[in-house]
Amino acid sequence: MRTEPKGTASGPVAGFLENPIVGMAPWIIFSLLVGPGRFELAVGLALLAAVALIVVSRLVNRGTSWKLLELADVVFFASMAVVGLLASDGTRSWLETYAGEVSNIALAVIAFGSMAVRMPFTLQYAREQVDPSLWHTRGFLRTNYMITGAWGVAFLVAAAAGAYGDLVLHNPNNIWTGWIIQILAIVAALKFTVWYPDVARARAAREAAGEEPGPTNWAGLLLPLAGLLVPIGIAVLIFDNMWWLGVALIVAGSLLTKRLSSES
């Protein structure tokens, strides 16, 4: 049974806006767009997205609670916009190079910090989609800790990849560190957010029935990631000099997708 606050709308749009993935959209936009010559564009679009999501959410879901993540969205990107406007050319150049890593680290801190204070940021969204009787159950809390942790890890990976491209390769637009690894990390977290609750519910149902835990269906998580290997391989063929790696990724992606499809 789902309970809804008084005045809160229901339906696909309302449910979409109450998804924590939506709250992370400004960060994803910023981390993927920012780079030399693109700081103003990235921070402007991220701030616009953050404000628009709050306004639309309040119009559609009247009475919904304020979320830590959406407040952090506005504060962080408004601050970045002000700094960008007032900063010297040298500071702006530094931001264009490293702001992506700063934003990824900031979101990782929010994720792990919210877990440390026993309020994983996905919990505020999840509570508005389930009956209050489930709010303090072990399975419900564990699911939110796992999903929040997955996002924290994803943004740490993205930050590390970006830092390696900037500090070691001295190439913020490197196809691997600037794009492929970061996109894969985000897609993996997105898929985990969708996949893990079903796994947790299946496990809880078996425990309630007094049955032994069954094997985890990892194919459901890995299949979309395997499918990404094909377009990644094509991108490597086009934009990188390692044609053999591009071919290998396309072949591996095709074979893994076929294998995992048969297991899912």
Side-chain angles (χ1 to χ4, degrees):
M1 175 180 177
R2 174 176 171 169
T3 60
E4 296 170 357
K6 184 177 180 180
T8 299
S10 60
V13 175
F16 172 77
L17 292 170
E18 289 300 326
N19 192 311
I21 295 174
V22 176
M24 283 177 279
W27 301 83
I28 295 172
I29 291 171
F30 183 77
S31 64
L32 293 179
L33 287 181
V34 72
R38 302 192 301 271
F39 176 78
E40 291 84 356
L41 173 65
V43 75
L45 289 178
L47 180 57
L48 178 63
V51 174
L53 286 172
I54 289 178
V55 172
V56 174
S57 179
R58 293 307 174 281
L59 290 175
V60 175
N61 294 329
R62 297 184 183 276
T64 187
S65 63
W66 287 93
K67 311 296 192 303
L68 168 65
L69 188 57
E70 61 187 12
L71 294 175
D73 291 350
V74 174
V75 171
F76 180 84
F77 292 114
S79 300
M80 294 291 279
V82 171
V83 171
L85 288 173
L86 302 179
S88 64
D89 291 341
T91 301
R92 190 176 295 108
S93 177
W94 187 92
L95 287 171
E96 289 179 347
T97 302
Y98 298 108
E101 288 84 277
V102 171
S103 67
N104 284 325
I105 291 172
L107 191 52
V109 168
I110 291 172
F112 293 124
S114 68
M115 292 171 65
V117 298
R118 299 185 178 182
M119 183 58 72
F121 68 75
T122 60
L123 195 60
Q124 294 176 302
Y125 295 89
R127 281 180 172 175
E128 296 190 353
Q129 301 181 46
V130 301
D131 191 280
S133 63
L134 299 175
W135 287 4
H136 302 290
T137 59
R138 184 179 66 175
F140 180 73
L141 293 173
R142 175 181 170 81
T143 296
N144 281 278
Y145 274 102
M146 293 292 289
I147 293 174
T148 300
W151 279 103
V153 171
F155 279 93
L156 278 182
V157 170
Y164 186 84
D166 293 336
L167 298 173
V168 178
L169 302 180
H170 304 291
N171 180 12
N173 290 318
N174 179 272
I175 187 174
W176 288 98
T177 59
W179 296 96
I180 292 176
I181 295 175
Q182 297 194 41
I183 290 174
L184 275 176
I186 292 171
V187 170
L190 283 168
K191 183 56 185 175
F192 185 85
T193 301
V194 176
W195 171 81
Y196 186 76
D198 291 336
V199 172
R201 281 190 289 267
R203 183 184 297 125
R206 294 181 69 90
E207 290 179 356
E211 301 176 2
E212 291 293 325
T216 301
N217 180 20
W218 291 100
L221 174 63
L222 299 176
L223 182 57
L225 301 179
L228 279 178
L229 293 179
V230 174
I232 288 174
I234 294 173
V236 171
L237 284 175
I238 297 173
F239 299 107
D240 208 340
N241 294 324
M242 296 184 292
W243 64 267
W244 54 271
L245 180 57
V247 172
L249 288 171
I250 293 172
V251 173
S254 300
L255 293 176
L256 283 173
T257 299
K258 183 177 180 180
R259 173 69 180 274
L260 292 170
S261 296
S262 65
E263 297 178 1
S264 62

